[in-house]
């Protein structure tokens, strides 16, 4: 890890934290999206004081974090990518927060994995606010039924909601919809906002923002 890389990452992190603090009080939790990042960048982010990280895939997350857990006991790992039911136990063992619950079958396998492992990561339901057929997430109309299944049949506690607005559409209406859905269901946590719109998300009530490129910088082409 070079001093230059650590300094650049620390400056970007400080700037983003300042923006979030100016946009909302309290500011949302900054999740550093470490998927596809090299070890040097992850070590620089850890050296800067960052302890909350997001990963898209269970296997890649294990490669990044399995051996770092002992050195950083205050790490908080969020799964922010789609989860296959056959990976539920691996996800429950590794992650502290799973943000992508989106169907009853997944609720059932997560509940079984929690019973087996004794770990109970916090859970968010991913809402497909744009109702895009190619994207994961429950539709807004299907949220209440999924919540009922998760709570009353699978016995899960749900902390909040997560969304990824459609590319090319203004994010604000999607953030507003997610906040409205959460309020209607008595949920207090909102994971929304990425590198291009994290300040806007904070203004709409995000409690967590997921930032990759704006935090780590553009990846150099091989």
């Amino acid at each position: 890890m070079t001093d230059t890389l650590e300094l650049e990452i620390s400056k970007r992190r400080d700037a983003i934290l300042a923006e979030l603090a100016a946009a909302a009080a309290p500011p949302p939790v900054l999740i550093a999206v470490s998927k596809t990042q090299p070890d040097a960048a992850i070590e620089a982010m850890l050296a800067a004081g960052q302890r909350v990280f997001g990963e898209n895939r269970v296997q890649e997350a294990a490669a990044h974090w399995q051996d770092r857990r002992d050195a950083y006991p205050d790490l908080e790992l969020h799964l922010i990518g789609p989860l296959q039911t056959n990976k539920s136990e691996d996800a429950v063992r590794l992650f502290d927060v799973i943000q992508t619950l989106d169907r009853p079958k997944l609720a059932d396998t997560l509940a079984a994995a929690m019973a087996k492992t004794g770990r109970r990561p916090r859970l968010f339901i991913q809402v497909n606010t744009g109702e895009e057929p190619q994207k994961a997430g429950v539709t807004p109309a299907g949220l209440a039924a999924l919540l009922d299944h998760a709570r009353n049949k699978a016995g899960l506690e749900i902390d909040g909601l997560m969304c990824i607005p459609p590319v090319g559409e203004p994010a604000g209406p999607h953030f507003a919809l997610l906040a409205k859905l959460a309020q209607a269901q008595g949920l207090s946590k909102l994971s929304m906002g990425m590198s291009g719109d994290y300040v806007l998300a904070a203004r709409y009530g995000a409690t967590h923002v997921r930032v990759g490129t704006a935090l780590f910088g553009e990846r150099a082409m091989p």
Side-chain angles (χ1 to χ4, degrees), residues 20 23 28 127-130 135 140 161-167 169-184 187 189-211:
L20 292 173
V127 181
N128 186 345
T129 55
K135 187 177 286 183
L161 303 179
M162 181 267 247
C163 77
I164 304 171
V167 174
E169 289 190 18
H174 295 275
F175 295 159
L177 174 59
L178 197 72
K180 181 180 179 181
L181 291 169
Q183 183 178 29
L187 298 169
K189 304 288 177 62
L190 292 170
S191 175
M192 55 191 194
M194 298 185 288
S195 284
D197 51 25
Y198 55 84
V199 171
L200 181 65
R203 291 174 181 156
Y204 273 95
T207 59
H208 296 72
V209 293
R210 312 177 304 272
V211 182

Side-chain angles (χ1 to χ4, degrees), residues 48-71:
Q50 182 69 24
R51 293 294 181 270
V52 186
F53 291 84
E55 292 277 350
N56 267 40
R57 293 189 174 98
V58 175
Q59 190 169 349
E60 184 182 1
H64 277 163
W65 300 108
Q66 201 80 63
D67 295 336
R68 289 185 166 103
R69 277 289 198 182
D70 290 342

Side-chain angles (χ1 to χ4, degrees), residues 145-158:
L146 177 57
L147 259 172
D148 178 69
H149 182 95
R151 288 168 167 165
N152 299 317
K153 294 184 179 177
L156 299 174
E157 295 182 16
I158 306 298

Side-chain angles (χ1 to χ4, degrees), residues 7-164:
L7 181 61
E8 288 175 353
I9 278 179
S10 183
K11 284 182 175 179
R12 281 195 291 266
R13 180 175 180 269
D14 287 347
I16 290 171
L17 289 173
E19 287 181 294
L20 292 173
V29 174
L30 175 61
I31 302 171
V33 179
S34 46
K35 64 173 186 176
T36 76
Q37 292 295 333
D39 280 344
I42 291 173
E43 288 297 331
M45 194 63 70
L46 287 163
Q50 182 69 24
R51 293 294 181 270
V52 186
F53 291 84
E55 292 277 350
N56 267 40
R57 293 189 174 98
V58 175
Q59 190 169 349
E60 184 182 1
H64 277 163
W65 300 108
Q66 201 80 63
D67 295 336
R68 289 185 166 103
R69 277 289 198 182
D70 290 342
Y72 299 96
D74 53 346
L75 272 176
E76 183 174 289
L77 300 182
H78 291 239
L79 178 62
I80 58 174
L83 178 60
Q84 296 175 329
T85 54
N86 64 355
K87 297 287 186 181
S88 290
E89 185 176 332
D90 292 338
V92 165
R93 290 185 185 279
L94 180 62
F95 289 97
D96 303 294
V97 184
I98 295 171
Q99 295 199 9
T100 49
L101 172 58
D102 64 354
R103 57 201 188 277
K105 185 178 179 182
L106 182 56
D108 295 340
T109 58
L110 287 171
M114 290 181 189
K116 180 177 179 179
T117 63
R119 295 194 83 242
R120 294 194 70 85
R122 302 191 302 281
L123 299 174
F124 287 57
I125 287 178
Q126 181 175 352
V127 181
N128 186 345
T129 55
E131 301 191 43
E132 299 172 274
Q134 80 282 10
K135 187 177 286 183
V138 66
T139 63
L143 173 61
L146 177 57
L147 259 172
D148 178 69
H149 182 95
R151 288 168 167 165
N152 299 317
K153 294 184 179 177
L156 299 174
E157 295 182 16
I158 306 298
D159 273 19
L161 303 179
M162 181 267 247
C163 77
I164 304 171

